[in-house]
Amino acid sequence: MGKDANQNVVGIVGEGGSDEDRIIDWEDGLPSGDDLTPLSLPLVPPALASAFSIPPAELKTMLEVHRASQHTISSLSVRRKPSASSPLNGSLKPLASGGAADDGNCFMVLEAEDPEESPLSETSGRLPELGPEEAVDSSALHGENSVDDQRALKRPRLVWTPQLHKRFVDVIAHLGIKNAVPKTIMQLMNVDGLTRENVASHLQKYRLYLKRMQGFSNEGPSSSDHVFASTTVQQNLQELQQQPRPPSMPMPYNVPTMIPMPIYAIPHHPSHGVVPLNNHQGGMSCHGFDAHNPYGANNWSGSRDEQNTHEGV
DNA sequence: TCAGAAATAT
DNA sequence: TATATTTCTG
């Protein structure tokens, strides 16, 4: 989002109430991410360029766009890193190579518990590996600091954005619910920093959701399930319903045409560590998706605002 | 080593 | 209370 994308900049600009008000006003006037031309496209449309005898802009490859964004991000990181007050530290992630991220929707958000303690590597988006010394039980070495040490080693909380969740669902649809196991899903999702544990946890919840939906097939969804229509989810549900079922579990008579899908709220406040990237609020990147499945990144829903219309948790 | 479920934390 | 992480079990 254009608005979010500028919070990084806003954070550096002055302090004090009046300045903040001006900044908010200024932010409100900014275009949204959907209004902006992707970096991979020429800013001047070809027709307009030819009308004014402007030589056509050289099209940028995704690799070039990626490199440029990495350069921008790394320079921002260098400028801002020392700031202990910055809530955004530890979440800034470059686009990964291979770039399916040009649609701006391929991201996930990490909530840093403490900006200074976030263990994520800025360059890789992965947890740094422990060396033999760090792997030693710190409680034996540091006594009362052990709790803090353990907290520092904790993985930052992953927020499953609608886009990330959609990729998850698409991969399951591609694999089939039977073959959808955490490791395979993780590999096909191909999202930097996403762990098997993240996927396993989300899969657990997703299965519970599907199971719950089976129960709703007669009477429709409950109001507590916030509506997010997805034919992919329906596909997964139908497949699930074709599985052999224990006699105790009643087979639903029909499948609802619109499956409500709970979508998890995206924190917008800077204190959540949400980092805008590439004119959307992304943190981490995903890549290489098109090569793996027919539900490529282009199939992801266009804008977060569009997603938010279904978002209600 | 992995998947899945349950417990726990935020 | 909802959601994510961690731990435990097979």
Side-chain angles (χ1 to χ4, degrees):
Chain A
M1 293 296 146
K3 183 173 173 177
D4 291 338
N6 285 282
Q7 286 178 348
N8 261 346
V9 181
V10 170
I12 314 175
V13 180
E15 300 172 30
S18 60
D19 281 351
E20 283 181 8
D21 290 340
R22 288 211 305 273
I23 290 164
I24 290 168
D25 290 340
W26 173 71
E27 277 188 287
D28 286 339
L30 291 171
S32 71
D34 299 329
D35 297 328
L36 299 174
T37 304
L39 290 173
S40 54
L41 298 177
L43 292 174
V44 182
L48 192 62
S50 65
F52 289 89
S53 304
I54 300 171
E58 189 181 331
L59 286 176
K60 297 282 184 293
T61 66
M62 283 318 305
L63 188 59
E64 289 170 322
V65 172
H66 162 61
R67 281 180 182 153
S69 69
Q70 258 193 332
H71 177 264
T72 304
I73 289 164
S74 61
S75 62
L76 283 171
S77 303
V78 166
R79 276 181 225 157
R80 306 207 59 209
K81 193 176 284 180
S83 169
S85 61
S86 168
L88 304 176
N89 283 348
S91 299
L92 199 56
K93 300 294 173 296
L95 294 172
S97 58
D102 55 314
D103 61 359
N105 291 318
C106 184
F107 61 78
M108 68 187 198
V109 177
L110 294 170
E111 292 183 306
E113 289 177 40
D114 184 321
E116 290 195 282
E117 286 186 354
S118 175
L120 278 170
S121 150
E122 282 201 3
T123 52
S124 68
R126 297 182 189 280
L127 288 166
E129 290 186 6
L130 293 178
E133 289 174 9
E134 290 92 338
V136 171
D137 182 8
S138 59
S139 62
L141 299 174
H142 305 299
E144 64 198 50
N145 291 332
S146 61
V147 173
D148 286 342
D149 292 342
Q150 284 172 3
R151 284 181 62 86
L153 291 172
K154 265 189 181 178
R155 186 173 292 141
R157 194 181 177 94
L158 166 71
V159 176
W160 283 82
T161 64
Q163 285 76 19
L164 194 61
H165 174 74
K166 185 170 191 307
R167 171 157 288 203
F168 170 85
V169 172
D170 285 347
V171 166
I172 290 178
H174 181 56
L175 285 170
I177 198 77
K178 286 173 292 187
N179 303 321
V181 292
K183 191 177 179 184
T184 313
I185 296 170
M186 178 192 71
Q187 287 168 344
L188 285 184
M189 285 182 74
N190 199 18
V191 175
D192 281 354
L194 189 66
T195 66
R196 194 185 65 82
E197 288 77 15
N198 291 140
V199 175
S201 167
H202 199 62
L203 181 62
Q204 180 181 17
K205 198 169 61 173
Y206 183 70
R207 282 174 173 153
L208 288 172
Y209 162 76
L210 289 181
K211 197 177 285 184
R212 200 167 70 239
M213 283 307 100
Q214 284 183 302
F216 287 139
S217 55
N218 278 333
E219 54 204 78
S222 90
S223 57
S224 63
D225 285 307
H226 304 283
V227 177
F228 180 72
S230 164
T231 53
T232 316
V233 175
Q234 183 179 353
Q235 179 183 337
N236 290 339
L237 179 58
Q238 283 177 323
E239 189 175 342
L240 186 72
Q241 287 172 338
Q242 287 162 8
Q243 314 266 327
R245 302 161 61 83
S248 59
M249 189 184 290
M251 174 67 89
Y253 293 107
N254 61 341
V255 176
T257 53
M258 301 290 276
I259 307 297
M261 185 63 218
I263 291 300
Y264 319 110
I266 306 171
H268 289 279
H269 194 276
S271 66
H272 289 99
V274 175
V275 174
L277 181 64
N278 194 26
N279 81 23
H280 284 262
Q281 82 275 61
M284 290 195 164
S285 59
C286 48
H287 44 89
F289 192 61
D290 290 338
H292 294 299
N293 72 76
Y295 308 94
N298 289 340
N299 202 27
W300 292 24
S301 294
S303 70
R304 200 185 59 76
D305 291 339
E306 177 187 322
Q307 296 273 350
N308 279 348
T309 59
H310 307 291
E311 182 181 311
V313 176

